[in-house]
Amino acid sequence: MSIKLAVPNKGRLNERSIEILNQAGLEIEDGGERKLYANVKNGDLSVMFLRAQDIVRFVHKGAVDMGITGWDLVLESGLDVHKLQDMGFGRCRLSVAVPEGRGMDSVEDIPDGSIVATSFPNMTQRFFEKQGKKVDITTISGAAEVTPYLGVANLIVDLVSSGSTLKTNHLKEIAVIAQSQAVLVANREAMKARGTEIEELASAIISVLDAEGKRYLMADVPVTSLDEVRSFLPGIAGPTVMNIMGRDDVVAIHVVVDKTAIYNSVNRLKRLGATGILIMPIDRMVP
Ligand code: AMP
């Protein structure tokens, strides 16, 4: 039986999840919102397209073995699933936000009896209980930002990414309840029964995430500069150094470099007389 992996069928996590799986060498078509599942051509894997909220429940139940979903949804569900990896996208925070100009600058300023609109009632309740605040929670399925304006809530608890939605709606963030991002999760029983297959798929996905922050750099450098080049380009197992036919004064180096270090590395290489510098993206890094 193939491993079943659930991927969000819409929303912020959909596109990037499919991109990462494709980059991991698993050829999946993005079926759009209507497609329910896809068999992966080159792997013993079935991909189901489901709502991110449902993915947590289905992974927990074992209806699917693994899933990509939001950590916020895992926390809200309170269900026990095994987190294999933070995926590094879909970053956001669950925050308390209040209308501007009402004199509320922190949670202490919120009067008891205030109405809080949210799609995250469980986390909201836990948070305010811990703070010793008595609030009434009204659960909504979305668009929390308009509820203070409509007069149905005094404040909201909602996901914030850039903060621009809050600003547009004249709301001010006064506390962060939790940080979130996309995560790869697995069913605990499936981990026991099919651990090897799950780990293989997880490691293919992780290899894509690891490669994202790296670049492959190639350059021709004078032999006399090699020691200095080694000092600032250590690489994974040291830079690969190759002879160039017919030249004994210059060698070619290949090295994996942090994306953030590329700018300085190229400048230093040029100062040392390097030529033919090429920088390339890496699809995957498998240690
Ligand atoms: P922003 O204006 O960038 O702060 O985004 C806030 C809006 O996008 C709110 O309506 C949130 O509910 C929603 N949102 C932000 N990040 C996420 C996420 N990672 N997953 C789902 N919804 C999100």
Side-chain angles (χ1 to χ4, degrees):
M1 213 174 45
S2 57
I3 288 277
K4 294 194 189 89
L5 170 73
V7 174
N9 60 354
K10 52 182 166 181
R12 293 190 183 219
L13 308 185
N14 163 263
E15 210 173 297
R16 188 74 192 109
S17 301
I18 290 164
E19 247 174 49
I20 288 172
L21 293 174
N22 281 330
Q23 213 170 319
L26 305 161
E27 284 177 43
I28 306 164
E29 287 164 29
D30 181 358
E33 287 188 21
R34 290 213 204 124
K35 187 149 185 183
L36 300 177
Y37 73 90
N39 282 315
V40 175
K41 282 184 216 150
N42 44 352
D44 198 11
L45 177 72
S46 302
V47 176
M48 324 274 157
F49 298 100
L50 299 167
R51 285 172 57 110
Q53 287 97 322
D54 295 336
I55 289 174
V56 183
R57 284 193 291 120
F58 290 167
V59 169
H60 177 253
K61 266 185 153 180
V64 294
D65 303 297
M66 305 169 76
I68 297 173
T69 188
W71 185 238
D72 52 317
L73 299 172
V74 176
L75 293 176
E76 176 62 16
S77 73
L79 297 172
D80 180 33
V81 292
H82 178 79
K83 179 162 88 169
L84 289 156
Q85 181 69 24
D86 284 326
M87 302 281 289
F89 65 95
R91 282 181 208 275
C92 59
R93 53 196 186 270
L94 186 71
S95 292
V96 181
V98 298
E100 288 167 358
R102 304 271 170 89
M104 287 187 273
D105 293 318
S106 69
V107 174
E108 292 90 77
D109 299 333
I110 298 170
D112 274 347
S114 295
I115 302 171
V116 188
T118 186
S119 317
F120 295 82
N122 298 329
M123 289 169 86
T124 301
Q125 187 170 357
R126 262 178 265 149
F127 176 77
F128 282 106
E129 263 173 24
K130 245 193 189 161
Q131 301 278 326
K133 278 273 159 208
K134 292 191 181 64
V135 295
D136 289 331
I137 296 166
T138 180
T139 305
I140 46 152
S141 58
E145 300 90 349
V146 298
T147 57
Y149 174 73
L150 293 174
V152 295
N154 305 107
L155 62 142
I156 67 167
V157 167
D158 199 10
L159 297 178
V160 181
S161 173
S162 66
S164 67
T165 306
L166 291 185
K167 214 175 227 171
T168 308
N169 290 284
H170 306 290
L171 294 164
K172 186 171 64 172
E173 193 177 358
I174 58 166
V176 176
I177 297 179
Q179 298 285 345
S180 177
Q181 61 177 292
V183 288
L184 178 66
V185 292
N187 174 270
R188 290 212 181 268
E189 293 304 313
M191 283 295 292
K192 285 182 209 148
R194 309 187 67 176
T196 309
E197 291 154 278
I198 290 174
E199 292 291 348
E200 275 172 7
L201 178 57
S203 99
I205 290 171
I206 293 165
S207 72
V208 173
L209 304 176
D210 285 346
E212 256 166 18
K214 305 282 185 185
R215 291 293 179 268
Y216 198 68
L217 185 150
M218 299 196 249
D220 297 339
V221 302
V223 173
T224 49
S225 319
L226 207 47
D227 281 343
E228 190 172 342
V229 168
R230 271 206 193 96
S231 73
F232 67 92
L233 290 179
I236 295 172
T240 304
V241 179
M242 283 162 286
N243 289 324
I244 298 173
M245 211 191 282
R247 298 286 300 267
D248 49 17
D249 56 334
V250 177
V251 287
I253 60 153
H254 289 197
V255 67
V256 174
V257 184
D258 277 343
K259 198 165 83 173
T260 51
I262 283 286
Y263 180 80
N264 285 334
S265 303
V266 168
N267 288 341
R268 277 185 86 167
L269 282 169
K270 280 171 72 178
R271 267 184 253 133
L272 290 168
T275 55
I277 301 171
L278 291 177
I279 295 139
M280 291 178 293
I282 303 170
D283 268 356
R284 295 178 61 189
M285 289 211 341
V286 183

